[in-house]
Amino acid sequence: MNNQKQQKPTLSGQRFKTRKRDEKERFDPTQFQDCIIQGLTETGTDLEAVAKFLDASGAKLDYRRYAETLFDILVAGGMLAPGGTLADDMMRTDVCVFAAQEDLETMQAFAQVFNKLIRRYKYLEKGFEDEVKKLLLFLKGFSESERNKLAMLTGVLLANGTLNASILNSLYNENLVKEGVSAAFAVKLFKSWINEKDINAVAASLRKVSMDNRLMELFPANKQSVEHFTKYFTEAGLKELSEYVRNQQTIGARKELQKELQEQMSRGDPFKDIILYVKEEMKKNNIPEPVVIGIVWSSVMSTVEWNKKEELVAEQAIKHLKQYSPLLAAFTTQGQSELTLLLKIQEYCYDNIHFMKAFQKIVVLFYKAEVLSEEPILKWYKDAHVAKGKSVFLEQMKKFVEWLKNAEEGKSFPWCSLFGKA
C-alpha cells in the first residue's frame, strides 16, 4: 500500500494578452469635452446647426457614458467642478445657456435643442434629470443672470414634458431656502412655465409628484405662511400661483375641519364646544360661512347609519336633524349660507334615493327650527335650485311655498300634516 501523498496537479501554461476589445476603456471626460466644444465652436450660435451636430455626434461619441459632461457643456460652457464653478484650465464654449441672451425666447430655443437631443437618444432622459437636480443644488455658485436663464429654461422644459416636476425637490435645500435663492429662482421658473401652459396644467404636474402642498417650503420655517407666500409671489407678478396656494391651504384646512367635526360629533361633545371650535377654525383659515355650512351638513349626515327602507328613513332623518338643528342654525346667519344648505339638501336627497320623498320634510323642519328662513327658500324655489331631482322637489315644495307667499301674519302652516301633532 502506497502511503506517499499524491502530488496535487498544478495549472501552468502561456499567458495570453487581453484582446483590445475586452479592455475596459478608461473614463476620460476631457477628451469627450474637447470633441463637443470643438463641434459647438464650429456650428456657432445657430441653434438649428447645434441640434444637428448633437444628433450626428451621438453616433460617434459615448453620450451614455459622458452624459453629465455633455449637459454641463450645453448649460455652462464646460465641465463644472463641485459647487458650480468652471475649472480654469479646461476648454469652454460660448455656445451654451449661460452665455446666451437673458430672455424667454432664447431659452425656448435652447429648450428645443435639449428636447430634440433627448427624443433622439431616449437613454439621456435620466441623465438630464440628474443634471438639472445637480444644477439646482449649485445655484449659489452661479451669477444672478445665469440663475435667471436656468430658471426660464427649466420652466419651459417642465411645460413641454422634457422634465418631471420632481426635480423641484432640489430647491428645498436648506441653504438655498435660507438665503432666498430658492424663492427668487421659483419666480422666474413659474413665470416661464405658466407662460407656456396655464396654472391648471402646472397644478396637475405638481399634484402628480405630490409637490402641490410643498410650495411654502421655498421659504424658511418662520416665513411659511399663506400670507407671506401670497404677498411675495403676487408682488412678483404671479397672482394666479398665489391664489392656487391659498386654495390648496384652504382645501387642506376644510378637510381637517370636517375630520375633527366628525370626531367631536361621534364623541357627543356639547354643541357650544363644537360651535366655538368651528368658529375659531373659520377665523384662522379664512373659511366663509357658506362653505362651513356645507361641511357641517356633510358631517351631520355621516354620523348615522341610515335605514334602507324609504318609508322609515324620512322619520329617522327628521328625528336626527331635529337634534342637530341648533348646530346647523349657528352657521346659517347669512342668506347665502341658507341657500347653500338648501342646495346641499337637494343634492343629498337626489344622490341617496331613499331620501327622495324626505326633501320637503327636511326643509320644513329647518324652517320651523329657524335654520332656514322664508326668503332663501323662495329664491331656491324660483331660480336658485339645481337640476338634480328638480321636478320632484319643486312639486314637493309647491304647497309650502304657496303658504309662505300667501300666509297671513300669525297664521301657521299645518305642521301636523308633516310631523304629526305639533
Side-chain angles (χ1 to χ4, degrees):
M1 193 174 181
N2 190 0
N3 290 324
Q4 279 190 332
K5 288 185 178 177
Q6 279 189 319
Q7 202 173 9
K8 289 183 179 178
T10 57
L11 290 172
S12 62
Q14 190 177 351
R15 181 175 291 175
F16 291 97
K17 218 177 165 187
T18 309
R19 285 176 297 182
K20 192 75 178 171
R21 69 168 181 263
D22 294 332
E23 286 180 5
K24 190 169 184 182
E25 188 188 344
R26 190 165 62 88
F27 184 72
D28 185 13
T30 309
Q31 190 179 353
F32 176 86
Q33 177 188 243
D34 294 348
C35 292
I36 293 293
I37 288 178
Q38 186 182 338
L40 292 175
T41 305
E42 288 169 7
T43 62
T45 54
D46 178 359
L47 294 184
E48 279 291 329
V50 168
K52 285 176 183 173
F53 160 71
L54 293 170
D55 186 291
S57 296
K60 297 174 281 184
L61 300 174
D62 194 348
Y63 280 178
R64 192 186 296 273
R65 196 169 193 211
Y66 298 111
E68 185 179 1
T69 304
L70 173 64
F71 292 128
D72 274 0
I73 296 166
L74 292 175
V75 173
M79 282 195 293
L80 291 169
T85 56
L86 281 169
D88 292 330
D89 58 340
M90 291 287 185
M91 280 181 71
R92 61 185 67 187
T93 176
D94 287 335
V95 185
C96 65
V97 172
F98 284 177
Q101 283 183 275
E102 188 184 326
D103 60 64
L104 184 57
E105 191 178 343
T106 305
M107 292 305 108
Q108 287 169 331
F110 264 101
Q112 281 303 307
V113 173
F114 286 105
N115 200 18
K116 286 175 183 175
L117 177 63
I118 289 161
R119 276 210 314 257
R120 175 72 176 82
Y121 300 102
K122 288 288 284 180
Y123 59 79
L124 286 175
E125 265 183 9
K126 179 71 169 63
F128 186 53
E129 197 171 289
D130 291 342
E131 173 73 10
V132 176
K133 287 177 184 175
K134 179 191 80 175
L135 291 170
L136 297 188
L137 291 173
F138 286 174
L139 286 178
K140 279 170 63 181
F142 305 145
S143 69
E144 185 182 349
S145 175
E146 289 168 347
R147 289 200 291 263
N148 289 343
K149 292 170 197 173
L150 182 60
M152 287 188 278
L153 175 70
T154 306
V156 176
L157 292 168
L158 283 164
N160 66 29
T162 305
L163 285 174
N164 184 288
S166 61
I167 56 106
L168 298 178
N169 266 311
S170 293
L171 290 180
Y172 300 131
N173 174 274
E174 189 180 349
N175 292 324
L176 295 176
V177 168
K178 188 179 175 183
E179 296 188 26
V181 174
S182 293
F185 185 86
V187 167
K188 292 283 184 184
L189 183 150
F190 279 111
K191 275 187 176 179
S192 67
W193 193 355
I194 292 169
N195 179 71
E196 295 291 309
K197 293 284 187 178
D198 59 33
I199 191 62
N200 295 323
V202 171
S205 296
L206 292 171
R207 261 196 310 275
K208 211 170 180 180
V209 293
S210 303
M211 203 75 74
D212 50 326
N213 291 316
R214 293 192 62 196
L215 292 179
M216 281 200 288
E217 292 175 40
L218 292 166
F219 297 101
N222 63 339
K223 292 181 179 177
Q224 286 179 18
S225 67
V226 177
E227 289 69 30
H228 181 77
F229 187 99
T230 302
K231 185 174 185 294
Y232 185 91
F233 280 94
T234 301
E235 287 175 358
L238 281 164
K239 189 179 178 184
E240 51 203 325
L241 183 67
S242 300
E243 288 174 352
Y244 166 71
V245 168
R246 185 178 285 282
N247 289 339
Q248 284 299 107
Q249 289 299 113
T250 305
I251 290 165
R254 291 173 191 178
K255 285 180 180 175
E256 194 56 40
L257 172 60
Q258 181 151 5
K259 184 183 171 187
E260 178 59 28
L261 200 50
Q262 287 170 347
E263 287 177 7
Q264 289 182 3
M265 288 179 188
S266 298
R267 291 196 303 264
D269 290 5
F271 286 163
K272 63 179 179 60
D273 293 347
I274 297 176
I275 291 167
L276 184 64
Y277 163 74
V278 173
K279 287 187 173 178
E280 283 174 355
E281 289 299 304
M282 284 172 69
K283 188 177 179 182
K284 185 170 80 176
N285 295 297
N286 197 27
I287 308 175
E289 189 185 81
V291 172
V292 168
I293 190 60
I295 293 170
V296 175
W297 164 261
S298 298
S299 301
V300 166
M301 297 306 280
S302 67
T303 59
V304 66
E305 186 79 33
W306 295 109
N307 202 302
K308 299 295 180 192
K309 293 182 179 178
E310 192 176 44
E311 63 273 16
L312 298 175
V313 80
E315 187 183 336
Q316 185 189 9
I318 295 305
K319 187 178 177 182
H320 178 69
L321 292 171
K322 192 173 185 179
Q323 178 191 345
Y324 280 95
S325 290
L327 179 61
L328 289 154
F331 302 103
T332 52
T333 64
Q334 303 168 13
Q336 188 57 48
S337 304
E338 293 183 55
L339 202 51
T340 300
L341 178 57
L342 278 162
L343 292 171
K344 290 289 180 185
I345 299 166
Q346 181 185 350
E347 287 171 358
Y348 188 91
C349 289
Y350 178 81
D351 293 339
N352 298 272
I353 197 164
H354 301 305
F355 280 80
M356 286 292 283
K357 291 181 180 177
F359 178 77
Q360 183 218 32
K361 293 183 178 182
I362 294 170
V363 175
V364 173
L365 167 73
F366 283 164
Y367 177 78
K368 193 178 180 184
E370 297 185 351
V371 175
L372 296 172
S373 56
E374 180 180 329
E375 195 177 323
I377 295 172
L378 293 176
K379 181 167 178 56
W380 172 88
Y381 187 83
K382 185 183 177 185
D383 56 22
H385 48 259
V386 291
K388 291 182 172 183
K390 169 184 164 183
S391 57
V392 175
F393 299 139
L394 290 179
E395 183 60 35
Q396 281 183 30
M397 290 293 292
K398 193 174 180 181
K399 285 184 182 177
F400 182 61
V401 167
E402 283 173 4
W403 176 81
L404 284 176
K405 287 178 179 176
N406 305 318
E408 296 172 15
E409 191 71 35
K411 188 177 178 181
S412 64
F413 184 76
W415 310 113
C416 55
S417 64
L418 286 175
F419 308 114
K421 288 184 180 180

